[in-house]
Amino acid sequence: MSSTMHSKRDHRDLARVWVVLSSIALALLFLAPGVALVLLVFPIFIEDPPNTMPAFRGVNTLFFTVVRSVLVCVVAALAANALILASLPAVIRAIKHCPTPGAARFGKISAIVFGVGLVFNAVVWGVVLGPWFLSLFPALQESARTLGSIGSKAFEKLSYFTYPLVLAPFVFDVVRFIAMLIAGIAVSTARHKSAVLPAVAPTAQAPR
């Protein structure tokens, strides 16, 4: 009896850890865009070189301000994924001890989707950001007189990658974390069959 009760309590406690960390990760993803938009109101002022053309004045300020907001979303996504990765031992044990096959199956599918999405997002970020940063590094080593043209070129490149850079991985993250949260709730609310006691019908007493 004690081992059964320990097993019941064990999978529920583990699933609660799963739910808490998934909730924090999902909150980070929802809060990051709002923080990024607020930061756009407070730009990073970069002084333009004296020889910068009038058409390019202020481009560096706009560029670094946008990059800061994008980095907020990137850091939030990385922190959210790190939280889920930290909860994986609890997730695996909770699924292993889950008494309901349906909830355990849902948890396994959600964990697999999370892993596939993690690899997908890593590939997307690598493909999109890799060439972009590599194209910037040689230019950044040039003299400060070309800072205006560097900022304008980088900002033009950033505009082409805005949607795959921010929207695709971010939307996929939201879907993955919602699935993980729902799966954690399903596993945490799973009950052993023995926990539901059947109703015992009253028996009529034999006449004396």
Side-chain angles (χ1 to χ4, degrees), residues 41-48 58 60-62 64-65 68:
V41 183
F42 304 96
I44 302 175
F45 292 101
I46 305 296
E47 186 177 355
D48 296 311
N60 290 297
T61 297
L62 181 60
F64 287 104
T65 302
R68 179 182 60 178

Side-chain angles (χ1 to χ4, degrees), residues 11 21 34 62 149 162 171 174 185 190 194:
H11 95 273
L21 293 180
L62 181 60
S149 60
T162 298
V171 171
V174 170
I185 294 173
S194 59

